[in-house]
DNA sequence: AATGCGGGGTC
DNA sequence: GACCCAGCATT
């Protein structure tokens, strides 16, 4: 039977892993990985004393985790008290902190994946107003869920959230699961989200590890190297578990994240006001600027995409969905204007595309160029080239939708689509 | 272990 | 303009 820490992907004891990048080509990356080297730290605390097996075997929970040497059990307690006190005094009033409803916490955690609080806030309020309970979300059509997610990005989050809500409604009596195993079985819920919801809503002793926590822990323990490398991430996860304040796991997790976001920031941390700087090995060794190591990043690829706003005399336009493989990347399988990646002759290539998918007659088609816009999707650096085409009537085709341009916001559409529509107003 | 997925705040 | 974010699923 795996212990909770193992289910979160920890392997204990942590081995000093030399990460091998042999054979990898770095040419296409901006930041080639540095020589990987772990910082050796003593195994100094038992994490899951109660889970200790008399017969340790490779799959048992070994209970030991790496912890920076500046701590003793007593100073660890002081450290925890200080950080918790700081959090309780300085935490911001965020909508998902006003209740312990697991549903509300879960939705927030999904939205917050790779997304800043400021970006989430308006989406969260609107979403909770529309779907105040897991049952209301489970009953909703996916189209409506995606519409409320439009512009927030990572749309599979919304699709998975919706699927998970249906599962909770049908198989968990409408209650978010209380066990780690059941939570992890839900779509869109991984180590981080499971630990976050279970600790915050149910007081379960599960430490979260996200980008913020990883940075804080890496600095505390002066851990060098790429924090996202799987072996090091597991090391950090074990470390996080060893720090966890069992008296208030939810507050503790949020305290670490809040510290990382407001004090222990990526570039220039505000060590002067950090409540736990006295225990920070990176600060003691002058390594705060070296830690964390920069993330490896794919080199950007520039592409151009031409898109057509067809408009009939009544001000209606036509949107398409799932028109072809490469368009999905940019438009996330949501409603979009007919568009195609172009090379040398955007107008001509777009006209051909419109003929191909909508059977629009090329000869009578006039495409008026609109102001271009820029759009980034992961490593793609996209120039959007919108065109306006006035047409007497809009075609009727499968997987298309005709609607007033002014009603665009009522459909699921990515930001790229909204940028194209906005070009019309900037004309 | 590596990759792709959105979008925007912040420096 | 670069960096990175309250990660997850897939291969």
């Amino acid at each position: 039977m795996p212990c909770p820490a193992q289910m979160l992907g920890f392997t204990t004891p942590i081995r000093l892993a030399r990460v091998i990048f042999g054979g990898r080509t770095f040419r296409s990356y901006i930041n080639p990985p540095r020589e990987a080297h772990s910082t050796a730290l003593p195994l100094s605390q038992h994490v899951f004393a109660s889970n200790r097996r008399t017969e340790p075997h490779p799959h048992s929970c070994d209970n030991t985790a790496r912890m920076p040497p500046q701590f003793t059990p007593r100073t660890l307690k002081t450290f925890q008290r200080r950080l918790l006190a700081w959090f309780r005094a300085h935490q911001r009033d965020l909508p998902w902190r006003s209740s312990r409803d697991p549903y509300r916490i879960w939705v927030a955690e999904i939205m917050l994946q790779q997304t800043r609080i400021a970006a989430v806030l308006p989406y969260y309020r609107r979403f909770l107003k529309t779907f105040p309970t897991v049952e209301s979300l489970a009953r909703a059509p996916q189209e409506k869920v995606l519409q409320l997610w439009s512009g927030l990005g990572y749309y599979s989050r919304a699709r998975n959230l919706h699927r998970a809500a249906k599962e909770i409604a049908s198989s968990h009596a409408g209650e978010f699961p209380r066990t780690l195993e059941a939570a992890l079985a839900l779509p869109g819920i991984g180590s981080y989200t499971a630990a976050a919801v279970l600790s915050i809503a149910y007081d379960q002793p599960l430490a979260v590890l996200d980008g913020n926590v990883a940075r804080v822990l890496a600095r505390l323990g002066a851990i060098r190297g790429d924090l996202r490398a799987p072996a090091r991430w597991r090391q950090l996860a074990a470390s996080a578990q060893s720090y966890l304040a069992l008296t208030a796991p939810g507050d503790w997790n949020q305290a670490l994240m809040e510290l990382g976001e407001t004090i222990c920031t990526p570039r220039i941390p505000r060590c002067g006001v950090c409540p736990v700087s006295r225990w920070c090995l990176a600060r003691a060794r002058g390594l705060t600027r070296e830690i964390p190591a920069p993330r490896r990043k794919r080199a950007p690829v520039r592409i151009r995409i031409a898109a057509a706003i067809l408009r009939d005399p009544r001000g209606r336009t036509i949107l398409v969905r799932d028109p072809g493989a490469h368009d999905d990347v940019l438009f996330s399988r949501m409603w979009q204007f007919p568009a195609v990646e172009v090379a040398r002759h955007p107008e001509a290539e777009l006209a051909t595309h419109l003929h191909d998918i909508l059977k629009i007659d090329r000869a009578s088609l006039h495409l008026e160029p609109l102001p271009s816009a820029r759009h980034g999707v992961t490593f793609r650096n996209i120039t959007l080239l919108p065109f306006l085409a006035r047409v007497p009537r809009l075609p009727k085709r499968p997987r298309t939708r005709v609607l007033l341009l002014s009603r665009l916001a009522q459909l699921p559409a990515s930001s790229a689509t909204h940028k194209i529509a906005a070009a019309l107003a900037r004309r």
Side-chain angles (χ1 to χ4, degrees), chain A residues 117-127:
Chain A
I117 289 173
V120 164
L121 282 173
Y123 285 86
Y124 183 80
R125 296 200 183 94
R126 206 174 39 161
F127 197 92

Side-chain angles (χ1 to χ4, degrees), chain A residues 16 39-44 66-70 221-223 235 281 285:
Chain A
L16 293 179
T39 305
L41 295 167
L43 302 174
S44 54
R66 191 180 315 286
M67 181 162 50
Q70 72 274 35
I223 295 169
Q235 170 192 349
L281 289 184
R285 300 174 186 175

